[in-house]
Amino acid sequence: MSSELVVDVQPKEVSIALLEDKRLVELQKEPHNISYAVGNIYLGRVKKLMPGLNAAFVDVGYEKDAFLHYLDLGPYFTTSAVYTKTQRGEGKKNIPLSKFTMQKPLDKESSITDALSVGQEILVQITKEPISTKGPRLTAEISFAGRFLVLIPFADKVSVSQKIKSSEERARLRQLIQSIKPKNFGVIVRTVAEGKRVAELNNEMKSLVKSWEESLEYARRKEKAPAIIYEETSRAVGMLRDIFSPSFENIYVNDRATYQQIHNYVSIIAPELQGIVKLYEGELPIFDNFGLTKQVKSSFGKTVSFKSGAYIIIEHTEALHVIDVNSGNRSKNATNQESNAIEVNLNAAEEIARQLRLRDMGGIIVIDFIDMNEAENRQRLYDRMRELMATDRARHNILPLTKFGLMQITRQRVRPALDITTSEECPTCHGKGSIQPSMLFTDRLEDKIAYMVLQLKKNDFKLHLHPYVAAYIDKGGLFSLKWQWKRKYSFRFKIIPDQSLALLEYRFFDKDRNEIDLQEEVEIKHK
């Protein structure tokens, strides 16, 4: 199975699509202004203790206080608290962690009031982004993730991934890491470290220790909490770090700076594959070029169709996600109802497993499959679902079908489920049901172009239009509207078909791919 990554960098957000055999299986969108992402480390201040929940609310600068449970303090919190106080107290002593005296481990059966006090400064890391009305979820067990290793300050023990089956290799890696890791640091050896040489592991170890030291220096310099002291790498590099494999054939990026980041990262972890990172400089939007816009439009929304006319309906509530499987317009032969049901259910299971990854749906998921009478078929469906979910990187648990034909799944929720609206609002009537004459649309476009060139003095720009409208304007070659406008106003502007736009929608972009809010410009002119 071949894998490809397509990274679309826009002024307001970054979209990252993972394709397996040209089919979209994961999509992540991150606004540029997001600051409370998983992996970020903060110097927080305890705001409130909740003995009844055995938890605390911590101020990390978010509008809602973050949640920290006692069990998420970790066994080494006592050392972390004393060390933070030493670094932040009077005099701010800069003592390397490797020379610090470890404290007694935290008692699992104790209370939050014994470990924390209101106003106390502590080092915390985000494990869940803010979801709905809830603030971030925190842990006090700080970690720095790399490609091969995860560095854990204060832990001082080495663990090796259980997915490495060879006992000899596990022993080699444990002994190797013990010999190169600094004192008072713990290390988790990831699966991809199997077979790696000491030089590669040592280089990454030094890089992770340097990240810790820089974070500590930021914490020492901050005058007061809350303050961010370590930011996770860009989402593109972070996702690539977790999923990168030799099966990757191409990584396409449409932004030069992001391309350079990814190219540098691949050059370090797999120098022989650095050629797969490619800068996309085509005129079409990158998602349109690789057929992703259509896949996104067809894969999101309440109803999703799959094989032979069958479809699923996906509903979201605050507590859970509900998925209903329907056979659609398939022929319902009464004598063959059971085989129809199992066929539809197996196909639905494949689409549902994809949807869970694609939308990053977490929490409780309840699936209402088509009823089946035979226990053998119910077991077959359960086994198939487990097989399809085996490649899902999020932790999950699947229960067998109930007597009502319901399957229950719990899936790790780290960030809000991705919800993309696929319905389009008319850009000219905005839902009011009446528009200006469509035959005058091209006249209005020409007015906008004239205003761009003659008033704003911009002649090097791109006009994005729905593909149908772009084809109409380009119709007739040298006698087309496009060439009439070019001769009249500017030969430097370009018309780009954009599948993400509604039929009568248009957008202007300057040569640096920044959108020009022409409506706002016109309003300012009239004032």
Side-chain angles (χ1 to χ4, degrees), residues 411-521:
R411 188 174 182 274
Q412 180 186 19
R413 174 156 55 185
V414 174
R415 56 182 60 90
L418 185 60
D419 187 19
I420 296 177
T421 303
T422 56
S423 58
E424 298 173 350
E425 182 184 80
C426 174
T428 52
C429 77
H430 303 290
K432 295 177 181 178
S434 60
I435 63 173
Q436 297 177 2
S438 56
M439 66 183 298
L440 300 180
F441 177 67
T442 55
D443 293 339
R444 294 202 307 275
L445 269 184
E446 183 175 358
D447 289 342
K448 301 289 186 185
I449 293 171
Y451 179 74
M452 284 279 293
V453 176
L454 303 177
Q455 299 294 326
L456 301 183
K457 305 300 181 184
K458 295 179 183 290
N459 57 10
D460 189 0
F461 59 87
K462 296 175 182 177
L463 171 57
H464 285 230
L465 296 167
H466 187 280
Y468 290 171
V469 177
Y472 172 76
I473 291 174
D474 199 24
K475 179 182 176 183
L478 293 176
F479 302 98
S480 65
L481 281 174
K482 182 178 80 171
W483 281 101
Q484 290 178 38
W485 293 346
K486 279 179 172 286
R487 284 193 294 266
K488 190 173 181 180
Y489 300 107
S490 169
F491 275 99
R492 297 176 66 184
F493 94 86
K494 296 179 181 178
I495 292 178
I496 308 296
D498 191 335
Q499 295 178 12
S500 66
L501 300 181
L503 186 61
L504 298 181
E505 191 176 4
Y506 56 87
R507 296 167 71 185
F508 286 89
F509 292 85
D510 63 20
K511 62 181 180 180
D512 298 319
R513 298 194 301 119
N514 297 314
E515 185 174 1
I516 303 169
D517 191 347
L518 202 57
Q519 183 63 39
E520 182 180 332
E521 298 278 3

Side-chain angles (χ1 to χ4, degrees), residues 263-281:
H263 186 271
N264 292 343
Y265 180 73
V266 174
S267 299
I268 293 171
I269 65 170
E272 71 282 2
L273 295 177
Q274 58 182 304
I276 69 174
V277 185
K278 299 169 184 176
L279 179 64
Y280 174 77
E281 297 182 295

